[in-house]
């Protein structure tokens, strides 16, 4: 990271950096199965008395009990599979019942207007939950331009995440193939509830 970018990130309030970190973690875990180093770091997390803390505690316990091979197998069963996996983590599917529908087209238009593009070599459509979490991460930290104003973050969240992502995370909590990813679902659902409450203060 360039020096000026590091200084800009440090200037962002701690609360927003924490929010960005959670979005980044969810993006990382949902884009691909974690490697051994990530599992080890997750296993060292300590819980607290909050809902988010309890979710992190459960995630730490799950990470400590997993192997990379086991998590990879679970990820493939959940999201890939011979027929597409147990869950389809796409906004279009959750909102219309089909892939590559209007929610994806609307998202692509908004991303283009903001100058945000999918990385080369990434095959997943942009309405994948991991990509949407990564966009929020980047907007908060100003990785695309200047840090997005809270109202702009809320607009993106309201349009592209809030209508469906909590249902996805609830489904992930209940998925038959989920073990490590069950507390990921709890963490995502709990975090989105906090985000909704926080954005509501703008009213």
């Amino acid at each position: 990271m360039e020096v000026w970018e590091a200084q800009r990130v440090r200037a962002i309030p701690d609360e927003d950096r924490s929010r960005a970190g959670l979005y980044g973690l969810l993006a990382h875990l949902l884009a691909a199965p974690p490697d051994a180093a990530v599992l080890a770091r997750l296993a060292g997390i300590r819980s607290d008395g909050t809902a988010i803390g309890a979710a992190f505690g459960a995630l730490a316990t799950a990470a400590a009990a997993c192997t990379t091979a086991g998590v990879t197998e679970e990820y493939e069963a959940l999201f890939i599979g011979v027929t597409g996996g147990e869950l389809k983590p796409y906004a279009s599917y959750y909102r219309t019942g089909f892939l590559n529908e209007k929610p994806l087209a609307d998202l692509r238009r908004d991303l283009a207007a903001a100058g945000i593009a999918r990385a080369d070599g990434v095959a997943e459509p942009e309405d994948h939950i991991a990509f949407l979490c990564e966009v929020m991460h980047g907007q908060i930290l100003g990785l695309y331009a200047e840090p997005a104003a809270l109202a702009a973050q809320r607009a993106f969240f309201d349009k592209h995440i809030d209508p469906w992502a909590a249902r996805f995370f609830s489904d992930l909590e209940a998925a038959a193939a989920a073990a490590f990813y069950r507390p990921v679902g709890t963490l995502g659902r709990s975090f989105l509830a906090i985000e909704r409450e926080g954005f509501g203060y703008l009213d």
Side-chain angles (χ1 to χ4, degrees), residues 127-173:
D127 63 341
H128 191 288
I129 184 62
F131 185 85
L132 294 173
C133 287
E134 185 60 32
V135 170
M136 287 296 294
H137 169 84
Q139 286 186 338
I140 296 167
L141 294 183
L143 301 184
Y144 308 119
E146 291 298 314
L150 195 58
Q153 296 173 33
R154 177 184 175 173
F156 186 88
F157 179 90
D158 284 352
K159 187 172 182 181
H160 300 296
I161 296 177
D162 190 48
W164 72 282
R167 285 186 289 135
F168 162 76
F169 283 120
S170 292
D171 288 347
L172 183 55
E173 288 181 278

Side-chain angles (χ1 to χ4, degrees), residues 84-100:
E86 187 175 347
L87 300 179
K88 293 179 172 59
Y90 305 98
S92 287
Y93 183 80
Y94 268 83
R95 299 181 70 178
T96 72
F98 301 95
L99 299 175
N100 301 318

Side-chain angles (χ1 to χ4, degrees), residues 29 33-44 59-60 62-64 66-69 71 180:
L29 296 178
D35 61 20
V38 172
L39 286 175
R41 288 198 295 272
L42 291 174
L59 182 59
C66 287
T67 64
T68 54
V71 174
F180 170 80

Side-chain angles (χ1 to χ4, degrees), residues 177-193:
F180 170 80
Y181 277 93
R182 183 165 292 115
V184 175
T186 304
L187 180 64
R189 178 179 54 77
S190 300
F191 177 51
L192 292 189

